[in-house]
Amino acid sequence: FRDALLELARLVVLDGELARGANLLDEALRRYPDDPRIAETRFQLGECRRGLATDASRQLADGALSPSQRSSIDAQRIADLEAARTEFEQVVALLDSRVTGSGANRDESALSPIEQDVLRFAHLYRADCLFDLGRYREAIDLYEIAERRYSDHAISMVALIQILNAWHELGEADRAATAQRR
């Protein structure tokens, strides 16, 4: 049943039904808390929640919404971003607990290639959630962690760009210029 539940969730998400996919993934996490793929499942759940928040942002761009509709949609967007951030934080904690060494001597070889990718993206996406919530200083801290940790990977460039964007949003032109030079 576990495999069928996870496969159904994957298919539902591919079909664009993010809310239903999130419910199925959440059910899989509740039913099988010791599943060896828990980090990947949490990551997929985080992606679903983040996708729901993106959909809500698109809805908020509609000028025909009433103030109460706008407030309700925005509250759900915030809740989805917070839930996604929590999932990505848990993914980082789960997978980091299996990584040996620290700093430049980190050895992620205990992780499968998929888990290594999931860990990299979880680092980035948890910062993205904070950025989308307007919590730019906190996002900068997490982007800097991702940039330093994965300096030899393309993800570091994305982190640097988002650091620049966050400083720009904060109105810190000097710091944005420094980030751009980096």
Side-chain angles (χ1 to χ4, degrees):
F1 183 77
R2 177 186 65 199
D3 292 340
L5 182 60
L6 291 172
E7 183 64 17
L8 177 60
R10 187 184 73 77
L11 292 171
V12 165
V13 169
L14 284 174
D15 198 34
E17 296 181 56
L18 297 177
R20 184 169 173 225
N23 289 335
L24 291 168
L25 291 165
D26 191 48
E27 180 181 347
L29 289 168
R30 279 185 281 111
R31 282 180 181 248
Y32 309 105
D34 298 326
D35 183 48
R37 297 168 293 185
I38 192 166
E40 293 169 50
T41 303
R42 284 201 178 284
F43 182 80
Q44 291 170 342
L45 178 56
E47 284 189 307
C48 282
R49 298 279 186 223
R50 195 165 160 241
L52 288 167
T54 299
D55 291 347
S57 293
R58 283 190 202 110
Q59 285 180 319
L60 289 170
D62 182 357
L65 294 173
S66 71
S68 65
Q69 288 173 316
R70 184 172 296 286
S71 176
S72 175
I73 292 169
D74 194 44
Q76 187 60 52
R77 179 189 71 83
I78 291 168
D80 285 331
L81 284 170
E82 287 291 353
R85 185 186 60 80
T86 299
E87 294 300 334
F88 295 132
E89 288 285 350
Q90 289 180 16
V91 169
V92 168
L94 279 167
L95 294 178
D96 267 349
S97 70
R98 296 179 34 212
V99 172
T100 59
S102 64
N105 298 322
R106 294 182 53 76
D107 182 12
E108 294 183 357
S109 63
L111 304 176
S112 72
I114 289 174
E115 289 172 326
Q116 290 174 22
D117 283 345
V118 163
L119 181 58
R120 271 193 293 271
F121 283 104
H123 272 283
L124 186 65
Y125 292 170
R126 68 184 182 162
D128 283 346
C129 290
L130 289 170
F131 185 93
D132 292 343
L133 287 165
R135 294 164 51 187
Y136 302 115
R137 290 198 189 274
E138 292 172 79
I140 289 168
D141 292 341
L142 294 180
Y143 285 130
E144 286 178 346
I145 290 169
E147 188 274 325
R148 282 191 306 271
R149 186 166 173 175
Y150 298 108
S151 60
D152 61 340
H153 192 275
I155 212 163
S156 67
M157 184 61 71
V158 175
L160 284 171
I161 290 168
Q162 286 301 93
I163 290 169
L164 171 104
N165 290 335
W167 284 123
H168 178 74
E169 289 293 328
L170 289 168
E172 301 269 352
D174 292 340
R175 288 185 164 180
T178 300
Q180 184 167 1
R181 285 190 294 277
R182 281 176 57 201

